[in-house]
């Protein structure tokens, strides 16, 4: 798998990952470890003000572990904003992202389903952390964060409001 890659970086290095049928960004398979996505716009236009949907915004699956999503705008997707699934898809981190919102952080650009969905025994995921690491998760069609299975997942200090399902 892919290891040690940086997708994006500074605002000048931002990627626009939008309008894709399956997903905007994917980390898959065992050995896909220690990658980071930083400052990207996923599922929205270049201004971050309207949807240009992917199927799923970010997909982490099949044993990809210890990957980090930081400072991304993940909104407007046709399904989940972030889907983490599968045994071995462990120890991934989501910090300081806006999920379901516009770039301003005030207007909603909903993901049609859950903002973040952790399932199929993915474990040890950190969504947020101490207050400087908090995510803003709002306006999504399903839950802001749904943990369906797995162990040791930590969802803490986020702003999770105004979603279609429970927090």
């Amino acid at each position: 798998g892919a290891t040690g890659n940086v997708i994006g970086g500074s605002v000048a290095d931002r990627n626009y990952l939008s309008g894709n049928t399956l997903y905007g960004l994917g980390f898959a398979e065992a050995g896909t470890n220690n990658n980071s996505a930083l400052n990207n716009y996923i599922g929205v236009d270049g201004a971050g003000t309207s949807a240009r949907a992917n199927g799923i915004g970010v997909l982490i699956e099949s044993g990809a572990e210890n990957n980090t999503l930081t400072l991304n705008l993940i909104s407007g997707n046709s399904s989940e904003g972030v889907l983490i699934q599968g045994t071995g898809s462990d120890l991934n981190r989501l910090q300081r992202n806006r999920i379901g919102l516009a770039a301003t952080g005030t207007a909603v650009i909903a993901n049609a389903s859950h903002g973040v969905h952790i399932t199929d025994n993915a474990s040890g995921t950190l969504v947020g952390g101490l207050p400087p690491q908090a995510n803003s998760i709002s306006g999504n069609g399903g839950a802001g964060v749904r943990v369906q299975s797995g162990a040791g997942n930590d969802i803490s200090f986020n702003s999770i409001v105004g979603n279609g399902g429970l927090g």
Side-chain angles (χ1 to χ4, degrees):
T3 301
N5 297 291
V6 177
I7 297 94
S10 70
V11 172
D13 296 326
R14 173 177 292 151
N15 293 294
Y16 300 93
L17 307 166
S18 302
N20 298 292
T21 303
L22 298 178
Y23 47 86
L25 176 62
F27 297 112
E29 301 180 16
T32 302
N33 305 328
N34 302 309
N35 298 292
S36 63
L38 179 62
N39 274 315
N40 298 292
Y41 277 17
I42 303 170
V44 297
D45 67 359
T49 57
S50 63
R52 291 209 46 222
N54 299 298
I56 296 167
V58 179
L59 177 63
I60 301 173
E61 68 173 352
S62 303
E65 63 180 358
N66 203 31
N67 298 292
T68 303
L69 305 175
T70 306
L71 293 169
N72 298 289
L73 176 63
I74 307 169
S75 301
N77 296 291
S78 300
S79 188
E80 289 98 341
V82 179
L83 174 59
I84 303 172
Q85 65 181 6
T87 300
S89 297
D90 300 335
L91 305 172
N92 294 292
R93 294 174 305 284
L94 287 73
Q95 298 178 310
R96 299 174 63 196
N97 299 287
R98 288 188 174 154
I99 302 174
L101 294 165
T104 62
T106 55
V108 169
I109 306 175
N111 293 296
S113 185
H114 310 299
V116 177
H117 187 185
I118 302 167
T119 189
D120 295 332
N121 295 314
S123 297
T125 300
L126 175 60
V127 180
L130 296 175
Q133 303 303 323
N135 298 285
S136 295
I137 304 171
S138 186
N140 297 289
V145 177
R146 180 175 187 202
V147 179
Q148 192 169 354
S149 64
N153 295 298
D154 180 355
I155 293 85
S156 54
F157 293 103
N158 300 287
S159 173
I160 305 173
V161 298
N163 296 286
L166 297 175

